């Protein structure tokens, strides 16, 4: 049982049922002893009646008279009592006919006890002395047994009902008791890098849970501070690096233009320029990501026709794909307009296309699908490459994550998909990766709401992207 709520409910139900069971056991003992005591009182009352009927001069009476008197006394109660009166001197002076010739068992040293006679049943026996006679009176205990059996049946039903009710009450109580914990979990779950200022609400009551919430909030304070430091550092470092980098590039270009370098030196400077361009691109991308995180990027959203936009993109994409020996296919469904910034979405598609080209085998088909339905524009780019294992598909959207799955001379920096995610989230959409058709290749999908009511980039992304269920 993983849930604390379930465990609490189970413990509560167990404790309540066991307590009730103990009470029933005590009740059973008490009830049984009261009933048996009642039988003993009955036997004693019958004895008193016999003694009264015999009178104070019973010692002078003959056995026949005694028998006669007792028979008259006990006639009415012959179904209730089993009586045996005997003495050493006179032998048996009275013996109830309902005993059917069987003797009442005797337990030496005991005056009241339980016994059973075959054909008669269970009896409660009491022995009395009426000198010189020993009087043994027994009464049927079968009613007591029936009452006790009924008690057990009722108690079992009550215990079963108690178990069900206590499980329900236990669940209710545990839900109530764990409500603050759920609140902490939900809030903590919402707190992410783009939402670090949110805090867990702390109640007025000072208990263990509010103390935990306070400690977690303090931890979030420290985390937010560290995150902000890192963000500021990235933004400032990228910004500060740009100027010296441009100077180095200018110097290198100047050296090339001067034309007094040897062929080997010219190659070296050329290589430096290429690496500088790459470095510049990384800095630009980091700056973009920092600004997107700081929500200072404003999109130029216009209602556009995705069909026209994709038609233009497909022409370039086809040329690019064919240049690398890949095929490019575009499929479109649905009509309408979508508010998006074409430059940014084009950047996303180019990133996805570049990844697909890198991953595809020669002559591999890269498919771009677009569908516009139910207020959602959905676009996917699918290739026939090696794909990405399920557990890594979310990771590839993190910065600088590059998997060793494309082989060859991979010069990527691992920022492409992080930028794609930022751009799509700025459009209040989401992006994720899944496996391609038949489990082959990779399909990267993004969705953008067709109509965005408020174009407000100061708001956070609508929802952090999460992988959608696999289609294939
Ligand atoms: N279509 C794909 N097939 C297989 N792996 C992919 C695919 N697209 C991305 N990946 C994996 O995800 C990693 C991250 O991709 P991303 O686009 O973010 O970075 P990059 O392509 O390596 O560099 P950059 O795009 O910044 O030049 C890639 O290095 C690659 O390992
Ligand atoms: Mg890339």
């Amino acid at each position: 049982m993983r849930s604390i709520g379930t465990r609490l409910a189970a413990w509560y139900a167990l404790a309540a049922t066991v307590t009730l069971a103990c009470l029933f056991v005590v009740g059973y003992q008490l009830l049984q002893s009261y009933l048996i005591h009642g039988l003993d009182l009955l036997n004693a009352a019958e004895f008193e009646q016999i003694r009264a009927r015999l009178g104070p001069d019973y010692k002078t009476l003959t056995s026949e008279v005694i028998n006669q008197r007792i028979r008259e006394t006990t006639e009415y109660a012959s179904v209730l009592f089993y009586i045996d009166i005997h003495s050493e001197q006179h032998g048996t002076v009275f013996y109830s006919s309902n005993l059917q010739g069987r003797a009442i068992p005797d337990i030496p040293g005991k005056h009241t006890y339980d016994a059973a006679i075959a054909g008669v049943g269970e009896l409660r026996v009491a022995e009395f002395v009426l000198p010189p006679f020993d009087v043994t009176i027994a009464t049927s205990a079968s009613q007591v047994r029936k009452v006790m059996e009924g008690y057990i049946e009722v108690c079992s039903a009550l215990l079963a009902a108690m178990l069900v009710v206590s499980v329900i009450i236990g669940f209710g109580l545990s839900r109530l008791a764990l409500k603050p914990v759920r609140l902490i979990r939900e809030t903590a779950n919402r707190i992410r890098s783009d939402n670090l200022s949110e805090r867990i609400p702390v109640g007025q009551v000072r208990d263990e849970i509010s103390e935990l919430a306070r400690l977690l909030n303090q931890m979030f304070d420290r985390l937010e501070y560290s995150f902000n430091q890192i963000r500021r550092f990235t933004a400032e470092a990228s910004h500060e690096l740009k100027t010296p980098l441009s100077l180095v590039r200018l110097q290198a270009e100047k050296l090339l233009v001067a034309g007094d370098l040897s062929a080997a030196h010219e190659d070296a400077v050329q290589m430096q320029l290429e690496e500088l361009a790459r470095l510049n691109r990384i800095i630009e991308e980091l700056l973009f990501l920092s600004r997107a995180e700081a929500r200072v990027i404003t999109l130029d959203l216009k209602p556009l026709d995705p069909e026209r936009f994709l038609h233009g993109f497909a022409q370039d994409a086809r040329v690019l794909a064919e240049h690398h020996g890949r095929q490019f296919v575009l499929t479109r469904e649905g009509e309408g307009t979508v508010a998006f910034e074409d430059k940014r979405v084009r950047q996303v598609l180019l990133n996805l296309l570049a990844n697909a080209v890198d991953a595809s085998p020669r002559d591999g088909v890269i498919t771009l699908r677009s569908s516009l339905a139910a207020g959602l524009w959905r676009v996917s780019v699918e290739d026939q490459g090696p794909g990405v294992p399920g557990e890594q598909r979310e990771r590839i959207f993190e910065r600088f994550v590059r998997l060793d799955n494309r082989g060859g001379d991979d010069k990527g920096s691992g920022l492409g998909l992080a930028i794609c995610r930022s751009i799509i989230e700025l459009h209040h959409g989401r992006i994720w990766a899944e496996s391609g058709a038949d489990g082959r290749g990779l399909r990267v999908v993004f969705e953008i709401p067709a109509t965005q009511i408020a174009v407000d980039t100061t708001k956070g992304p609508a929802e952090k992207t999460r992988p959608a269920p696999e289609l294939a």
Side-chain angles (χ1 to χ4, degrees):
M1 269 190 278
R2 284 179 56 218
S3 143
I4 292 184
T6 316
R7 260 180 289 165
L8 279 179
W11 288 341
Y12 173 81
L14 198 72
T17 313
V18 168
T19 310
L20 191 68
C22 291
L23 286 177
F24 283 158
V25 170
V26 173
Y28 181 91
Q29 301 290 351
L30 280 176
L31 181 64
Q32 194 179 37
S33 67
Y34 276 127
L35 289 176
I36 286 181
H37 182 63
L39 293 184
D40 289 343
L41 289 178
L42 264 181
N43 285 340
E46 180 65 6
F47 171 69
E48 287 306 327
Q49 198 150 5
I50 290 171
R51 184 156 56 181
R53 181 76 184 110
L54 289 180
D57 58 341
Y58 69 91
K59 285 183 188 161
T60 58
L61 302 176
T62 62
S63 294
E64 285 73 31
V65 177
I66 291 174
N67 191 308
Q68 176 65 29
R69 286 195 183 171
I70 294 175
R71 198 158 299 285
E72 283 165 9
T73 317
T74 59
E75 204 61 49
Y76 72 97
S78 63
V79 286
L80 258 183
F81 298 105
Y82 303 86
I83 300 165
D84 178 351
I85 301 175
H86 60 269
S87 74
E88 279 186 11
Q89 191 187 350
H90 304 91
T92 300
V93 288
F94 182 81
Y95 182 78
S96 332
S97 58
N98 54 9
L99 278 167
Q100 298 160 14
R102 293 184 182 89
I104 299 175
D106 180 30
I107 300 183
K110 284 203 156 194
H111 296 300
T112 52
Y113 52 88
D114 297 314
I117 299 178
V120 175
E122 290 168 30
L123 298 175
R124 181 66 184 172
V125 185
E127 288 182 355
F128 305 92
V129 182
L130 187 66
F133 302 110
D134 286 335
V135 180
T136 308
I137 302 175
T139 188
S140 172
S142 62
Q143 286 306 322
V144 174
R145 195 169 46 79
K146 274 189 196 143
V147 169
M148 295 322 293
E149 278 171 4
Y151 179 88
I152 290 175
E153 273 171 28
V154 171
C155 288
S156 306
L158 283 175
L159 273 182
M162 180 67 183
L163 193 66
V164 174
V165 171
S166 58
V167 164
I168 295 168
I169 294 177
F171 265 114
L173 285 178
S174 68
R175 274 192 72 79
L176 211 66
L178 293 176
K179 197 176 160 203
V181 177
R182 271 202 309 280
L183 201 69
I184 291 179
R185 196 188 61 191
E186 280 161 16
T187 317
N189 203 24
R190 273 201 307 275
I191 299 177
R192 282 186 291 238
S193 62
D194 55 352
N195 180 28
L196 270 174
S197 53
E198 188 161 343
R199 292 291 175 270
I200 299 163
V202 182
Q204 294 295 318
V205 190
R206 279 189 82 90
D207 56 10
E208 289 89 341
I209 291 181
S210 69
E211 195 51 37
L212 176 69
R214 212 167 278 122
L215 282 176
L216 281 172
N217 281 344
Q218 284 167 11
M219 189 184 79
F220 288 132
D221 286 344
R222 290 195 294 273
L223 270 179
E224 187 182 13
Y225 178 75
S226 310
F227 259 79
N228 286 341
Q229 291 282 86
I230 293 168
R231 273 182 195 153
R232 205 168 304 130
F233 171 77
T234 316
E236 282 168 9
S238 312
H239 194 263
E240 291 302 314
L241 280 173
K242 271 188 79 173
T243 321
L245 206 66
S246 312
L247 286 175
V248 175
R249 204 187 67 225
L250 281 174
Q251 294 291 352
E253 280 170 356
K254 227 163 106 184
L255 280 177
L256 277 184
V257 172
D260 48 4
L261 294 175
S262 67
H265 284 142
E266 212 178 294
D267 279 355
V269 174
Q270 203 60 266
M271 241 169 70
Q272 274 179 13
L273 276 172
E274 276 171 30
E275 287 306 313
L276 283 172
R278 199 168 107 79
L279 207 57
N280 198 43
R281 188 169 68 93
I282 293 176
I283 289 173
E284 291 285 350
E285 288 174 347
L286 278 176
L287 262 174
F288 172 84
L289 285 172
S290 297
R291 288 209 304 272
E293 264 185 2
R295 296 160 197 174
V296 291
I297 292 182
T298 319
L299 289 184
D300 180 17
L301 294 178
K302 281 185 234 122
L304 298 169
D305 177 6
E307 180 131 350
R308 277 188 60 186
F309 164 76
L310 286 176
H311 182 72
F313 174 78
Q315 287 178 347
D316 298 342
R318 198 160 288 119
V319 173
L320 190 92
E322 280 165 9
H323 176 73
H324 288 90
R326 318 301 194 244
Q327 298 174 47
F328 177 82
V329 177
L330 168 70
T331 68
R332 284 166 291 174
E333 268 174 41
E335 287 180 0
T337 54
V338 180
F340 64 97
E341 187 176 324
D342 52 352
K343 218 172 61 203
R344 300 280 183 202
V345 175
R346 189 181 158 82
Q347 190 183 348
V348 171
L349 286 175
L350 277 175
N351 264 326
L352 299 184
L353 183 71
N355 283 351
V357 165
D358 283 347
S360 292
R362 233 192 137 67
D363 286 329
V365 181
I366 297 166
T367 314
L368 172 66
R369 291 190 188 87
S370 156
S371 68
L372 183 57
L376 212 61
W377 182 32
R378 174 188 271 234
V379 181
S380 69
V381 176
E382 184 176 336
D383 61 60
Q384 296 176 326
V388 172
E391 67 280 4
Q392 304 274 25
R393 282 186 208 136
E394 193 49 24
R395 269 195 72 223
I396 56 175
F397 290 93
E398 290 170 19
R399 292 172 197 195
F400 298 115
V401 170
R402 290 164 61 213
L403 309 178
D404 192 16
N405 61 349
R406 295 198 291 213
D409 183 18
D410 186 1
K411 285 224 165 177
S413 56
L415 287 172
L417 288 177
I419 288 179
C420 291
R421 176 163 277 181
S422 278
I423 294 175
I424 296 301
E425 287 183 347
L426 283 173
H427 283 84
H428 300 275
R430 59 189 197 121
I431 182 168
W432 70 91
E434 57 193 31
S435 84
D438 313 324
R440 241 180 102 199
L442 190 77
R443 182 191 297 144
V444 182
V445 191
F446 67 79
E447 285 177 347
I448 292 179
T451 42
Q452 297 183 45
I453 300 120
V455 180
D456 177 9
T457 49
T458 57
K459 263 195 201 161
E463 192 189 339
K464 192 86 181 167
T465 54
R466 74 177 82 87
E470 300 234 335
L471 297 180

